[in-house]
Amino acid sequence: MRNSNFFQDLKASHEGLLSLGFWALQFYRFGHLRYKFKTKIIRYPLAIVHIILFKFSEVFFGITIGVSAKIGKRLIIEHSGCIVIHGNAELGDDCIIRQGVTIGNRKMDAPFEAPQIGNRVNIGAGAKILGGVIIGDDAQIGANAVVIKDVPAGAIAVGVPAQIRLPKQNPSSMDTSNE
């Protein structure tokens, strides 16, 4: 079912149809739809409409999502404003992004390097994830963190530049087979 992303995104959005982040994501998905068509007679009109929606999203929502980015299901853009997602970035399912987040390239001589973000990643307000880094599933990116190196699954990245903190082991879950 092709409309399933729309309804899944809508269900995940806390504000529903009133969420600016939801609409910016739908404009991205509309633009990304044109890649499914080979013929120019369909692609070009879709591209023109997408450019108008893209600029509307930039100007009025403060959200820029590159049309060739790969974004999974149920992305939540919790607060709009100053959000940039590079066209080569990849985001998994069930991620959360807050205001002021940049997911983009780091170096002018490597303009196509962009982050790969796993599933269920929570990205705090003002965070910057730069370059060809890989963020593992269930990672937490702290507010205003500047991530320039890989973050393992389940880890927390905080600070400038971000320091990686691994989750603490629960003593009750430790292996007691030696007893």
Side-chain angles (χ1 to χ4, degrees), residues 84-98:
V84 177
I85 301 175
H86 191 283
N88 289 347
E90 295 181 21
L91 283 85
D93 296 337
D94 302 307
C95 292
I96 300 173
I97 297 176
R98 292 176 181 80

PDB file of all heavy atoms in Angstrom, residues 84-98:
ATOM      1  N   VAL A  84      18.298  20.922   8.791  1.00  0.00           N
ATOM      2  CA  VAL A  84      18.864  20.638   7.473  1.00  0.00           C
ATOM      3  C   VAL A  84      19.243  19.167   7.424  1.00  0.00           C
ATOM      4  O   VAL A  84      19.970  18.681   8.288  1.00  0.00           O
ATOM      5  CB  VAL A  84      20.115  21.507   7.193  1.00  0.00           C
ATOM      6  CG1 VAL A  84      20.724  21.148   5.844  1.00  0.00           C
ATOM      7  CG2 VAL A  84      19.775  22.986   7.263  1.00  0.00           C
ATOM      8  N   ILE A  85      18.737  18.468   6.400  1.00  0.00           N
ATOM      9  CA  ILE A  85      19.097  17.073   6.166  1.00  0.00           C
ATOM     10  C   ILE A  85      19.691  16.976   4.764  1.00  0.00           C
ATOM     11  O   ILE A  85      19.015  17.263   3.776  1.00  0.00           O
ATOM     12  CB  ILE A  85      17.874  16.138   6.315  1.00  0.00           C
ATOM     13  CG1 ILE A  85      17.281  16.267   7.726  1.00  0.00           C
ATOM     14  CG2 ILE A  85      18.268  14.699   6.013  1.00  0.00           C
ATOM     15  CD1 ILE A  85      16.000  15.481   7.934  1.00  0.00           C
ATOM     16  N   HIS A  86      20.949  16.593   4.695  1.00  0.00           N
ATOM     17  CA  HIS A  86      21.698  16.477   3.438  1.00  0.00           C
ATOM     18  C   HIS A  86      21.025  15.480   2.501  1.00  0.00           C
ATOM     19  O   HIS A  86      20.441  14.493   2.946  1.00  0.00           O
ATOM     20  CB  HIS A  86      23.114  16.013   3.776  1.00  0.00           C
ATOM     21  CG  HIS A  86      24.083  16.095   2.652  1.00  0.00           C
ATOM     22  ND1 HIS A  86      24.118  15.180   1.628  1.00  0.00           N
ATOM     23  CD2 HIS A  86      25.071  16.986   2.399  1.00  0.00           C
ATOM     24  CE1 HIS A  86      25.094  15.492   0.790  1.00  0.00           C
ATOM     25  NE2 HIS A  86      25.682  16.595   1.238  1.00  0.00           N
ATOM     26  N   GLY A  87      21.126  15.723   1.215  1.00  0.00           N
ATOM     27  CA  GLY A  87      20.525  14.859   0.209  1.00  0.00           C
ATOM     28  C   GLY A  87      21.096  13.460   0.167  1.00  0.00           C
ATOM     29  O   GLY A  87      20.451  12.549  -0.349  1.00  0.00           O
ATOM     30  N   ASN A  88      22.291  13.236   0.703  1.00  0.00           N
ATOM     31  CA  ASN A  88      22.880  11.896   0.722  1.00  0.00           C
ATOM     32  C   ASN A  88      22.750  11.221   2.079  1.00  0.00           C
ATOM     33  O   ASN A  88      23.269  10.126   2.276  1.00  0.00           O
ATOM     34  CB  ASN A  88      24.352  11.939   0.316  1.00  0.00           C
ATOM     35  CG  ASN A  88      24.529  12.232  -1.154  1.00  0.00           C
ATOM     36  OD1 ASN A  88      23.575  12.176  -1.924  1.00  0.00           O
ATOM     37  ND2 ASN A  88      25.730  12.568  -1.556  1.00  0.00           N
ATOM     38  N   ALA A  89      22.099  11.867   3.012  1.00  0.00           N
ATOM     39  CA  ALA A  89      21.935  11.288   4.346  1.00  0.00           C
ATOM     40  C   ALA A  89      20.961  10.122   4.300  1.00  0.00           C
ATOM     41  O   ALA A  89      20.088  10.053   3.436  1.00  0.00           O
ATOM     42  CB  ALA A  89      21.428  12.351   5.316  1.00  0.00           C
ATOM     43  N   GLU A  90      21.127   9.218   5.252  1.00  0.00           N
ATOM     44  CA  GLU A  90      20.218   8.084   5.396  1.00  0.00           C
ATOM     45  C   GLU A  90      19.754   8.048   6.843  1.00  0.00           C
ATOM     46  O   GLU A  90      20.576   8.100   7.758  1.00  0.00           O
ATOM     47  CB  GLU A  90      20.922   6.773   5.042  1.00  0.00           C
ATOM     48  CG  GLU A  90      21.338   6.691   3.594  1.00  0.00           C
ATOM     49  CD  GLU A  90      22.017   5.364   3.250  1.00  0.00           C
ATOM     50  OE1 GLU A  90      21.821   4.371   3.990  1.00  0.00           O
ATOM     51  OE2 GLU A  90      22.742   5.347   2.250  1.00  0.00           O
ATOM     52  N   LEU A  91      18.447   7.984   7.046  1.00  0.00           N
ATOM     53  CA  LEU A  91      17.871   7.884   8.380  1.00  0.00           C
ATOM     54  C   LEU A  91      16.995   6.644   8.434  1.00  0.00           C
ATOM     55  O   LEU A  91      16.185   6.422   7.536  1.00  0.00           O
ATOM     56  CB  LEU A  91      17.019   9.111   8.704  1.00  0.00           C
ATOM     57  CG  LEU A  91      17.758  10.382   9.088  1.00  0.00           C
ATOM     58  CD1 LEU A  91      18.174  11.152   7.863  1.00  0.00           C
ATOM     59  CD2 LEU A  91      16.905  11.231   9.975  1.00  0.00           C
ATOM     60  N   GLY A  92      17.127   5.875   9.493  1.00  0.00           N
ATOM     61  CA  GLY A  92      16.334   4.668   9.661  1.00  0.00           C
ATOM     62  C   GLY A  92      14.920   4.974  10.131  1.00  0.00           C
ATOM     63  O   GLY A  92      14.477   6.121  10.158  1.00  0.00           O
ATOM     64  N   ASP A  93      14.240   3.956  10.554  1.00  0.00           N
ATOM     65  CA  ASP A  93      12.858   4.068  11.027  1.00  0.00           C
ATOM     66  C   ASP A  93      12.812   4.623  12.449  1.00  0.00           C
ATOM     67  O   ASP A  93      13.727   4.398  13.240  1.00  0.00           O
ATOM     68  CB  ASP A  93      12.172   2.703  11.011  1.00  0.00           C
ATOM     69  CG  ASP A  93      12.043   2.122   9.616  1.00  0.00           C
ATOM     70  OD1 ASP A  93      12.071   2.898   8.637  1.00  0.00           O
ATOM     71  OD2 ASP A  93      11.912   0.887   9.506  1.00  0.00           O
ATOM     72  N   ASP A  94      11.715   5.314  12.762  1.00  0.00           N
ATOM     73  CA  ASP A  94      11.372   5.748  14.115  1.00  0.00           C
ATOM     74  C   ASP A  94      12.389   6.686  14.752  1.00  0.00           C
ATOM     75  O   ASP A  94      12.587   6.660  15.970  1.00  0.00           O
ATOM     76  CB  ASP A  94      11.145   4.527  15.023  1.00  0.00           C
ATOM     77  CG  ASP A  94      10.049   3.626  14.488  1.00  0.00           C
ATOM     78  OD1 ASP A  94       8.943   4.143  14.231  1.00  0.00           O
ATOM     79  OD2 ASP A  94      10.294   2.415  14.299  1.00  0.00           O
ATOM     80  N   CYS A  95      13.024   7.523  13.966  1.00  0.00           N
ATOM     81  CA  CYS A  95      13.963   8.513  14.498  1.00  0.00           C
ATOM     82  C   CYS A  95      13.208   9.771  14.932  1.00  0.00           C
ATOM     83  O   CYS A  95      12.115  10.049  14.445  1.00  0.00           O
ATOM     84  CB  CYS A  95      15.004   8.888  13.443  1.00  0.00           C
ATOM     85  SG  CYS A  95      16.131   7.545  13.051  1.00  0.00           S
ATOM     86  N   ILE A  96      13.830  10.523  15.840  1.00  0.00           N
ATOM     87  CA  ILE A  96      13.272  11.791  16.297  1.00  0.00           C
ATOM     88  C   ILE A  96      14.313  12.878  16.084  1.00  0.00           C
ATOM     89  O   ILE A  96      15.478  12.704  16.457  1.00  0.00           O
ATOM     90  CB  ILE A  96      12.889  11.733  17.787  1.00  0.00           C
ATOM     91  CG1 ILE A  96      11.841  10.659  18.036  1.00  0.00           C
ATOM     92  CG2 ILE A  96      12.382  13.093  18.268  1.00  0.00           C
ATOM     93  CD1 ILE A  96      11.530  10.434  19.499  1.00  0.00           C
ATOM     94  N   ILE A  97      13.887  13.985  15.478  1.00  0.00           N
ATOM     95  CA  ILE A  97      14.754  15.141  15.245  1.00  0.00           C
ATOM     96  C   ILE A  97      14.084  16.359  15.877  1.00  0.00           C
ATOM     97  O   ILE A  97      12.878  16.535  15.754  1.00  0.00           O
ATOM     98  CB  ILE A  97      14.952  15.394  13.733  1.00  0.00           C
ATOM     99  CG1 ILE A  97      15.663  14.214  13.087  1.00  0.00           C
ATOM    100  CG2 ILE A  97      15.717  16.681  13.496  1.00  0.00           C
ATOM    101  CD1 ILE A  97      15.802  14.341  11.591  1.00  0.00           C
ATOM    102  N   ARG A  98      14.894  17.190  16.516  1.00  0.00           N
ATOM    103  CA  ARG A  98      14.368  18.421  17.102  1.00  0.00           C
ATOM    104  C   ARG A  98      14.946  19.631  16.393  1.00  0.00           C
ATOM    105  O   ARG A  98      15.776  19.503  15.506  1.00  0.00           O
ATOM    106  CB  ARG A  98      14.682  18.437  18.593  1.00  0.00           C
ATOM    107  CG  ARG A  98      13.883  17.371  19.322  1.00  0.00           C
ATOM    108  CD  ARG A  98      14.240  17.276  20.792  1.00  0.00           C
ATOM    109  NE  ARG A  98      13.457  16.215  21.407  1.00  0.00           N
ATOM    110  CZ  ARG A  98      13.761  14.921  21.304  1.00  0.00           C
ATOM    111  NH1 ARG A  98      14.810  14.538  20.632  1.00  0.00           N
ATOM    112  NH2 ARG A  98      13.007  14.019  21.873  1.00  0.00           N
TER     113      ARG A  98
END
